[in-house]
Amino acid sequence: MFCFSFSVKNCLTKHRAGHILEILYRDIKKGASMHESLETSSNGTAKNKVLVIAVSYVTLLMLGIYLSFFQYTVLSVTQIFALNSVMLGLLIAMQSIGMAISPFSLGVLSGKIGKKKTVLISYALMIGGMVLAGSSRNIVLYMVSILIVGAGYAVNEATLSAVLADEYHSKSTRHINFSQVCFSLGAFGGPLIAQALVSKGVYFQDLYFYIAMVFLALAVLFFFTQHYNDHTNTEKLKSFSVLGKLKNRVLLLLIVGIFLYVGIETTVASFSDSYFELSLGLPELSATALSLYWLSMVPSRFLAGGLMKNTKSIFV
């Protein structure tokens, strides 16, 4: 009887031990699986972060290339379409008009559909506008195309800055400033690239197709990125008052400063090619002068990106 009891207890003990080992094995396996999943998720997040930053930086680089390319080819457009000074001013203004109008409509849309879709729409506008610019054979279509490109351009630049700010809040200032460094580098290279290609026999309107293809590749890459802070809190926007914000003297001063700066920048850059060729008789130096103009902005933007937020007032 004692032996039978001992045998039963022994069996139960072995059964419990086996059951415990089985549970421990499953827990270890589950923990390993979770660790692998977390590691994969971490690697995926890291890769996604690199992709978002890389696409944003390269996009700003291409925006700089496009802007300075457009400025460099203003004189060529004037000569091909036989524009007078009024029409020339209107051509330059068309891009600025597109840049001024689109952020109001697409900015509101961004709060509803998310920043990712808004950026993709801006890519589509730029690509469509550049294809139209490259194929335009009259000044009306060309001006419309520049208006469309300008609309996509402004929304793309502004929304990408918002993406960098919202997705990487702790380092947003650094990323935004470094993206502007990329913009300035692109603007520095744009006239030199255009001059080199045109001297090789490439028609200036064909350059729009090349730039459009690069933006198409960037749009595809951006489509595969993930965004964790994609939608803006629209509840805060309901109580937002433009007139109320303008009562802030610092903000008003910054707005006026930006208004004057953009006006000076557009005028100097857009007419530099005409000035060097027609007034100074030095057409071979126009691309270099425009490139150096944009290059001069790189040091301050790079330095601003490396400083802490509380030292930014020094630059202002």
Side-chain angles (χ1 to χ4, degrees), residues 170-307:
S170 60
K171 296 182 179 179
S172 61
T173 305
R174 178 171 298 180
H175 284 309
I176 291 172
N177 277 289
F178 284 166
S179 69
Q180 290 299 314
V181 170
C182 292
F183 176 88
S184 295
L185 290 173
F188 161 72
L192 298 176
I193 295 171
Q195 185 184 50
L197 291 174
V198 170
S199 66
K200 296 293 183 180
V202 178
Y203 187 52
F204 86 95
Q205 279 186 281
D206 292 339
L207 298 177
Y208 282 105
F209 294 117
Y210 300 151
I211 298 173
M213 286 189 289
V214 177
F215 277 122
L216 178 60
L218 290 168
V220 171
L221 290 173
F222 191 81
F223 176 79
F224 289 104
T225 58
Q226 297 177 353
H227 301 265
Y228 304 101
N229 297 292
D230 192 45
H231 286 77
T232 305
N233 186 355
T234 55
E235 292 297 324
K236 293 182 179 180
L237 295 177
K238 292 179 180 179
S239 59
F240 181 83
S241 172
V242 176
L243 294 177
K245 292 295 182 181
L246 290 178
K247 293 179 181 178
N248 186 321
R249 294 181 180 178
V250 175
L251 179 60
L252 184 60
L253 182 62
L254 289 173
I255 291 173
V256 173
I258 292 172
F259 176 81
L260 294 174
Y261 161 73
V262 173
I264 295 170
E265 176 194 290
T266 302
T267 304
V268 170
S270 298
F271 289 98
S272 63
D273 186 43
S274 302
Y275 177 71
F276 271 83
E277 181 165 342
L278 301 179
S279 298
L280 300 181
L282 299 170
E284 66 280 0
L285 293 181
S286 61
T288 303
L290 184 56
S291 293
L292 291 175
Y293 171 76
W294 284 106
L295 183 64
S296 65
M297 300 182 189
V298 172
S300 60
R301 287 178 173 177
F302 186 82
L303 185 60
L307 294 177

Side-chain angles (χ1 to χ4, degrees), residues 24-74:
L24 286 172
Y25 172 76
R26 282 189 305 201
D27 287 345
I28 292 171
K29 188 176 180 181
K30 184 177 180 181
S33 177
M34 289 178 64
H35 177 72
E36 184 179 353
S37 177
L38 287 171
E39 188 176 0
T40 303
S41 176
S42 178
N43 290 336
T45 302
K47 291 178 180 178
N48 180 71
K49 179 179 179 180
V50 171
L51 183 59
V52 171
I53 293 173
V55 171
S56 300
Y57 281 17
V58 176
T59 297
L60 267 292
L61 180 79
M62 290 305 302
L63 289 177
I65 289 175
Y66 161 74
L67 181 61
S68 60
F69 154 72
F70 170 75
Q71 294 165 343
Y72 175 69
T73 57
V74 164

Side-chain angles (χ1 to χ4, degrees), residues 10-24:
N10 190 36
C11 289
L12 288 172
T13 302
K14 288 180 179 179
H15 175 73
R16 288 172 181 166
H19 183 63
I20 292 171
L21 287 173
E22 184 180 352
I23 293 172
L24 286 172

